[in-house]
Amino acid sequence: MKAAVLYEVNRPLAVEEIELDPPKAGEVRVRIAAAGICRSDLHFMKGEAKLKLPSVLGHEGSAIVEEAGPGVSSVKPGDHGILCFVPNCGRCRFCLTGRSNLCDAHARTGANLFDGTTRLHKGAQRISHMGKVACFAQQAVVPETGCIPIPADVPMPQAALIGCCVTTGVGAAMFSADLRPGSTAAVVGCGGVGLNIIQGAKLLGASKIIAVDINEARLEFARKFGATDFVNPKDQDPVARIRELTDGQGADYTFEAFGSAETAELAYTAARKGGTVVIAGIAPVGDRAAVDLVNLVRDEKTLKGTYYGSARPTVDMHTMLDLYLRGKLDLDDLVGRQYRLEDINEAFADLERGYPGRGLITAF
Ligand SMILES: NC(=O)c1ccc[n+]([C@@H]2O[C@H](COP(=O)([O-])OP(=O)(O)OC[C@H]3O[C@@H](n4cnc5c(N)ncnc54)[C@H](O)[C@@H]3O)[C@@H](O)[C@H]2O)c1
Ligand SMILES: [Zn+2]
Ligand SMILES: [Zn+2]
């Protein structure tokens, strides 16, 4: 089958024929319908994040089940599903305490399947599966808990977006921040994740949602999703402007959705006394942000990370889907440019250029 393989960092993805072994126990083989272009893939391509190479990237996807391995009971051939980059083992401490986004068995096996091996290879060379998804390919073998069944009439690009940026962004506002109605929020970075934090904050009743981005087109695009005020750090001191917009206080909730020490410090500083700072962006490995510890204590700020929106994907992806189907979340406008798998490197160039809307591979 055809797949986009990352062999080395800072090299284009190679779109080529590789082999996919059949599913083992508890796994399914799926045909990919749509795969979103997320900055997390780009971090691996640039070496800002590490995984075992070569690897098939792609972790935001939707697919149709073609073959079920032995013992699979939650999905069957023909089912449509959202792919999940933290499939759960259902048995570890985190899975059993409602925090399956932190599943230990998944963290331990990483870009291999749960048994520690891969189904992807080219001849004798084994190829890893990013997030146990690897959806920049015509097909994938994923754990059955990594394919969440959905009704067949849900459009597949929108379903794919629930696989990462929607659940991550809306979840960051809903589950990580537990944002209260009437509060103020500032969101640093208005890409796929940031736009979903913005629409999550709107859904939860934020009174003011300040979009912060260095890209004017992306700032303007954020208006559609509920942003009420716009700050470009290139034009003005962003912290001073956020304070000005919040009666000199700072925002009740601030979110970081780019991935750098600089933007994390901005989010931290822009939160008010007693405010909550949620970091969603993945900064380059080794990066450290400076936090004024006296300020942390005296201002009683809460600083927290959010992974997969602190969601329980199997349950909460259905919540996201219901909110979309009832018109409470706008996933239609989120769908940006659509590409063929052959043009995947152009899709990542567009992500770097900051083209508004989430790019997706929809032709394999
Ligand atoms: N926590 C999670 O579970 C999770 C899940 C998905 C993605 N991520 C991470 O979230 C981050 C965002 O991903 P994305 O796909 O939305 O990326 P994206 O590229 O679509 O969006 C990032 C945005 O940040 C803006 N930006 C860049 N520098 C800035 C600055 N100095 N100040 C303000 N804005 C700035 C860009 O213009 C862009 O609009 C990435 O680091 C990604 O790896 C985390
Ligand atoms: Zn992602
Ligand atoms: Zn687990």
Side-chain angles (χ1 to χ4, degrees):
M1 64 145 187
K2 219 188 311 160
V5 187
L6 179 66
Y7 283 96
E8 269 181 72
V9 300
N10 294 318
R11 286 282 161 78
L13 298 174
V15 179
E16 58 181 28
E17 290 289 325
I18 62 169
E19 290 121 68
L20 180 66
D21 292 338
K24 291 192 182 174
E27 299 170 358
V28 294
R29 181 170 58 79
V30 299
R31 182 162 295 279
I32 308 299
I37 303 292
C38 176
R39 186 164 282 270
S40 297
D41 301 291
L42 189 65
H43 290 320
F44 289 119
M45 291 164 67
K46 292 168 112 184
E48 293 167 351
K50 306 277 180 211
L51 93 168
K52 191 150 181 270
L53 300 181
S55 185
V56 171
L57 303 182
H59 63 282
E60 179 176 272
S62 58
I64 300 173
V65 178
E66 293 216 322
E67 181 187 356
V72 168
S73 58
S74 57
V75 286
K76 57 182 189 312
D79 282 353
H80 290 207
I82 299 172
L83 303 178
C84 170
F85 65 84
V86 186
N88 66 79
C89 75
R91 286 189 283 265
C92 73
R93 160 191 288 264
F94 295 94
C95 284
L96 292 172
T97 53
R99 303 186 77 181
S100 62
N101 62 320
L102 303 179
C103 174
D104 258 343
H106 175 62
R108 199 166 49 240
T109 48
N112 291 335
L113 294 178
F114 277 125
D115 71 352
T117 66
T118 80
R119 306 292 159 267
L120 294 166
H121 58 106
K122 186 169 185 181
Q125 186 173 34
R126 305 309 301 186
I127 298 175
S128 73
H129 307 228
M130 177 183 180
K132 296 183 177 51
V133 175
C135 60
F136 293 154
Q138 290 175 317
Q139 298 182 46
V141 167
V142 302
E144 71 172 310
T145 57
C147 180
I148 291 148
I150 56 168
D153 57 357
V154 176
M156 288 304 232
Q158 284 82 335
L161 300 184
I162 296 176
C164 180
C165 65
V166 173
T167 302
T168 298
V170 176
M174 198 177 271
F175 308 123
S176 315
D178 194 14
L179 188 142
R180 312 313 299 165
S183 56
T184 57
V187 180
V188 184
C190 302
V193 173
L195 291 173
N196 282 293
I197 297 174
I198 289 170
Q199 64 171 334
K202 178 185 172 197
L203 181 72
L204 295 161
S207 61
K208 186 172 271 193
I209 304 170
I210 306 166
V212 184
D213 203 296
I214 52 172
N215 176 327
E216 277 300 324
R218 288 205 157 192
L219 275 180
E220 186 47 42
F221 194 62
R223 191 185 295 276
K224 254 194 210 335
F225 296 87
T228 56
D229 296 86
F230 306 87
V231 176
N232 187 336
K234 281 184 170 165
D235 301 339
Q236 54 198 326
D237 174 350
V239 175
R241 182 65 187 139
I242 292 166
R243 290 221 175 103
E244 227 172 75
L245 289 164
T246 51
D247 299 324
Q249 298 278 301
D252 295 319
Y253 300 91
T254 62
F255 298 87
E256 193 283 334
F258 168 61
S260 74
E262 183 195 346
T263 44
E265 287 165 12
L266 197 174
Y268 179 81
T269 317
R272 71 154 165 79
K273 241 191 260 186
T276 298
V277 184
V278 179
I279 309 290
I282 309 225
V285 276
D287 255 26
R288 298 276 187 275
V291 170
D292 180 330
L293 293 173
V294 174
N295 172 271
L296 176 72
V297 172
R298 289 217 170 119
D299 281 4
E300 283 200 351
K301 290 188 185 181
T302 300
L303 173 61
K304 62 198 299 190
T306 179
Y307 192 50
Y308 229 144
S310 312
R312 301 146 304 168
T314 311
V315 178
D316 296 319
M317 283 185 183
H318 284 286
T319 309
M320 302 302 156
L321 182 58
D322 288 347
L323 289 168
Y324 163 60
L325 295 173
R326 287 190 288 122
K328 306 268 185 198
L329 287 178
D330 178 5
L331 308 196
D332 297 338
D333 283 321
L334 213 51
V335 173
R337 282 194 177 174
Q338 300 188 34
Y339 305 85
R340 299 178 310 157
L341 184 60
E342 283 83 355
D343 301 324
I344 190 158
N345 292 299
E346 190 194 320
F348 277 102
D350 280 349
L351 178 76
E352 288 208 86
R353 280 194 282 267
Y355 200 79
R358 189 67 143 189
L360 288 140
I361 307 291
T362 49
F364 297 83

